[in-house]
Amino acid sequence: MEPYPLSKLNPDTSEWRIRAKVLAIWQEYYDHYSTVDVVLVDDKGGKIHGIIPMELMPQFSSRIVENRWIVITDFILRPVVDALKPVAHRFELERSGDGFYDFVDFGRILNGAHDTSICVDIIGKAINVSKITSFGCHVYEDQVEHIVFDLQDTSERVLRCVLSITDALPLYRLWMTDPSDVIICVLRFVRVEFREGMWICSGVRCSKLLLNPSIPDVKKMKSVFSIKHGPIAKKQKIKD
């Protein structure tokens, strides 16, 4: 596979391999985590910002050296959310916390670019949570209670999600206990489907919901929402 130009990288690119030179390396420290950041440049002059959680740096210390050319295939691409950008690229490369999560960008789902035959991992802040007795979802056809909620990413895009009350009851209880708390949800192996005029992430038998798991992606998202919005206002429930 030929190296992909940095200037053309975007979340719609399904497979890519880049070869780039490390121009700069520095460290960033936040409330809940820290990172090693780099600026990369390819042979066409395209530049991009890269981020590695500090705890993963031992895996990369021999590769990430200033002025060294490296090949990268195992990073994910995300929109830049910081007000000050090291380079002009509107996306940045980031290494996932443990190498086992494969978070799909909300934009790919909302644009219909994701292959709906493949389950996805998604991450976002819960902004609406409610119980509902009937929902036209392929796996929950009986008249039983479900939890319906919205997840918001750091670009303020929103996805509707629906899980059985058995799978999502911890989220509902946490929401009702402290509506001012920031709840970052990680949904693993959920189905993407277009129903009732919107893209929905719904639970199947292999799905799993994690609340505020201790991974760098969650810590970073909490810090971003704290910086962007400050104290969290009281949340509103979706009307049943």
Side-chain angles (χ1 to χ4, degrees), residues 104 109 114 118-122 187-192 201:
V104 174
I109 295 175
H114 177 71
I118 302 173
C119 290
V120 301
D121 296 343
I122 58 174
L187 276 174
R188 307 216 66 185
F189 315 118
V190 291
R191 177 172 177 166
V192 176
C201 291

Side-chain angles (χ1 to χ4, degrees), residues 49 78-92 155:
H49 177 207
R78 292 186 174 172
V80 176
V81 297
D82 295 330
L84 181 63
K85 301 186 292 185
V87 296
H89 208 299
R90 62 194 183 99
F91 298 104
E92 60 191 10
S155 296

Side-chain angles (χ1 to χ4, degrees), residues 169-185:
L169 187 57
L171 169 62
Y172 185 77
R173 286 175 173 169
L174 184 58
W175 178 272
M176 298 303 294
T177 300
D178 186 359
S180 66
D181 190 22
V182 177
I183 305 171
I184 303 299
C185 298

Side-chain angles (χ1 to χ4, degrees), residues 6 14 33 37 39 53-54 57 81-82 97 106 109 124 155 171 173 199 208 217 226:
L6 289 180
S14 58
Y33 72 107
D37 291 44
V39 169
M54 187 69 74
M57 195 55 193
V81 297
D82 295 330
F106 279 24
I109 295 175
S155 296
L171 169 62
R173 286 175 173 169
W199 285 101
K208 188 173 184 179
D217 303 82
S226 176

Side-chain angles (χ1 to χ4, degrees), residues 37-147:
D37 291 44
V38 298
V39 169
L40 304 174
V41 61
D42 64 14
D43 58 4
K44 295 178 175 58
K47 299 183 182 71
I48 196 167
H49 177 207
I51 303 170
I52 304 169
M54 187 69 74
E55 58 265 41
L56 295 183
M57 195 55 193
Q59 303 175 26
F60 298 93
S61 57
S62 62
R63 296 168 55 193
I64 307 299
V65 178
E66 200 162 293
N67 295 320
R68 175 174 292 180
W69 288 85
I70 59 175
V71 173
I72 292 178
T73 59
D74 53 358
F75 281 52
I76 59 176
L77 199 65
R78 292 186 174 172
V80 176
V81 297
D82 295 330
L84 181 63
K85 301 186 292 185
V87 296
H89 208 299
R90 62 194 183 99
F91 298 104
E92 60 191 10
L93 294 167
E94 183 168 3
R95 187 64 166 91
S96 182
D98 62 6
F100 297 105
Y101 293 95
D102 188 17
F103 295 122
V104 174
D105 182 80
F106 279 24
R108 284 186 59 82
I109 295 175
L110 295 170
N111 292 335
H114 177 71
D115 182 350
T116 57
S117 68
I118 302 173
C119 290
V120 301
D121 296 343
I122 58 174
I123 181 173
K125 182 182 73 170
I127 57 171
N128 297 295
V129 179
S130 181
K131 287 194 291 187
I132 190 169
T133 56
S134 177
F135 194 85
C137 180
H138 67 100
V139 75
Y140 301 134
E141 298 294 348
D142 298 333
Q143 296 295 309
V144 297
E145 285 189 317
H146 312 110
I147 302 296

Side-chain angles (χ1 to χ4, degrees), residues 196-231:
E196 301 185 4
M198 70 178 72
W199 285 101
I200 294 170
C201 291
S202 58
V204 291
R205 290 179 177 83
C206 61
S207 301
K208 188 173 184 179
L209 171 64
L210 306 174
L211 303 178
N212 297 319
S214 183
I215 61 173
D217 303 82
V218 169
K219 295 175 182 177
K220 179 177 181 181
M221 183 167 279
K222 278 200 169 190
S223 292
V224 169
F225 278 118
S226 176
I227 293 170
K228 290 178 67 173
H229 302 296

Side-chain angles (χ1 to χ4, degrees), residues 149-169:
F149 55 101
D150 292 335
L151 292 185
Q152 183 183 61
D153 68 7
T154 52
S155 296
E156 303 196 3
R157 294 170 297 192
V158 176
L159 278 175
R160 176 61 52 86
C161 304
V162 57
L163 295 177
S164 72
I165 194 167
T166 301
D167 293 336
L169 187 57

